[in-house]
Each structure stands twice: as C-alpha cells, then as structure tokens.
Amino acid sequence: MSVTSAQPRTPSTEPQSRALRIAFRGLTAIEKVGNRLPNPFWLFWILAGIVAVLSAVPSARSAGTASWPSREPSTTTRPSRRWPPSAP
C-alpha cells in the first residue's frame, strides 16, 4: 500500500441533498437575473414611467371612480348628535 495512493478528502462545495441543489440552482438563476437589471436609480425611473403611463391611459379614457356617499344628511336617517350636548 502506497502512501501516495491515498488522496486527502477535501470538503465539497456542492450541497449533498437534492433539495439544497435545487435551492442553490434557483438562487443562482435569481442572481444572474439580478445582475442583468439596471442601476437602482434608473430602475426606479423606468418603473415610475411605467406607472405614470399605466395610470394616464384610464384617465385619458375618462374612467370613472367609485363615488363616496354624500355628506348631506339623508332624510331616512336620524340627525347626528352633537357632543358635548349644548347647555339648556
């Protein structure tokens, strides 16, 4: 038996379980996509422009909004009580 035949075992950087391999592959994919994104300054302005365009389109088409109830008292409800009550 030769001393040179025994190779020292080095710890592997690859995860051993299948779930960890899948997780690391997913994280690697996310990292690659993230590296392709523009600078956060420009990303902010690009997304702000998209939001502005997406909100201007319905506005130009005169999209209605939900109407809130009127502040006028209704004839079917009691008038509101004042607090504190007025002195007699």
Side-chain angles (χ1 to χ4, degrees):
M1 187 190 264
S2 166
V3 177
T4 59
S5 67
Q7 296 177 356
R9 296 183 71 174
T10 58
S12 175
T13 57
E14 292 292 319
Q16 298 300 320
S17 75
R18 183 172 185 261
L20 281 176
R21 282 194 308 265
I22 292 171
F24 276 113
R25 256 189 287 163
L27 289 174
T28 302
I30 291 171
E31 181 183 12
K32 287 179 182 178
V33 170
N35 287 340
R36 292 181 182 165
L37 287 174
N39 186 320
F41 174 82
W42 293 113
L43 186 62
F44 171 81
W45 287 111
I46 291 167
L47 292 175
I50 291 171
V51 169
V53 168
L54 289 177
S55 65
V57 170
S59 176
R61 297 184 72 200
S62 301
T65 59
S67 61
W68 294 97
S70 172
R71 293 191 184 262
E72 297 296 321
S74 173
T75 57
T76 59
T77 60
R78 291 188 307 183
S80 63
R81 297 183 182 167
R82 292 179 182 241
W83 188 259
S86 58

